[in-house]
Amino acid sequence: MAARSAELLTVTEVLAELGGISRRTFYRWRELGLAPHCIRLPNGELRVRRAVLNAWLDERAEGAA
């Protein structure tokens, strides 16, 4: 399980996990500080840790405290 939570997802993978939202929406969320925290690689690409995405989703679940 530790390897899975340390998995780095591409933006494309994150978009698919979020039900196919558009890349533009994701980057807009980033501008507004609403997207999950990303890691910027030296080549400029973004990655999101699986654990961060899961925690971000849990925080947004309806009925979450």
Side-chain angles (χ1 to χ4, degrees):
M1 181 73 171
R4 178 125 172 108
S5 64
E7 178 184 6
L8 295 178
L9 302 171
T10 65
V11 171
T12 302
E13 291 170 329
V14 172
L15 299 179
E17 293 229 6
L18 295 176
I21 67 163
S22 72
R23 184 173 292 270
R24 180 176 179 167
T25 296
F26 180 78
Y27 281 98
R28 180 71 175 145
W29 288 353
R30 280 185 42 83
E31 289 175 13
L32 296 172
L34 301 173
H37 293 287
C38 298
I39 298 167
R40 184 171 301 279
L41 300 177
N43 65 0
E45 292 183 11
L46 297 176
R47 296 291 185 271
V48 177
R49 290 189 206 287
R50 163 132 343 253
V52 169
L53 178 61
N54 289 342
W56 182 84
L57 289 169
D58 288 344
E59 290 170 5
R60 280 145 189 83
E62 288 193 23

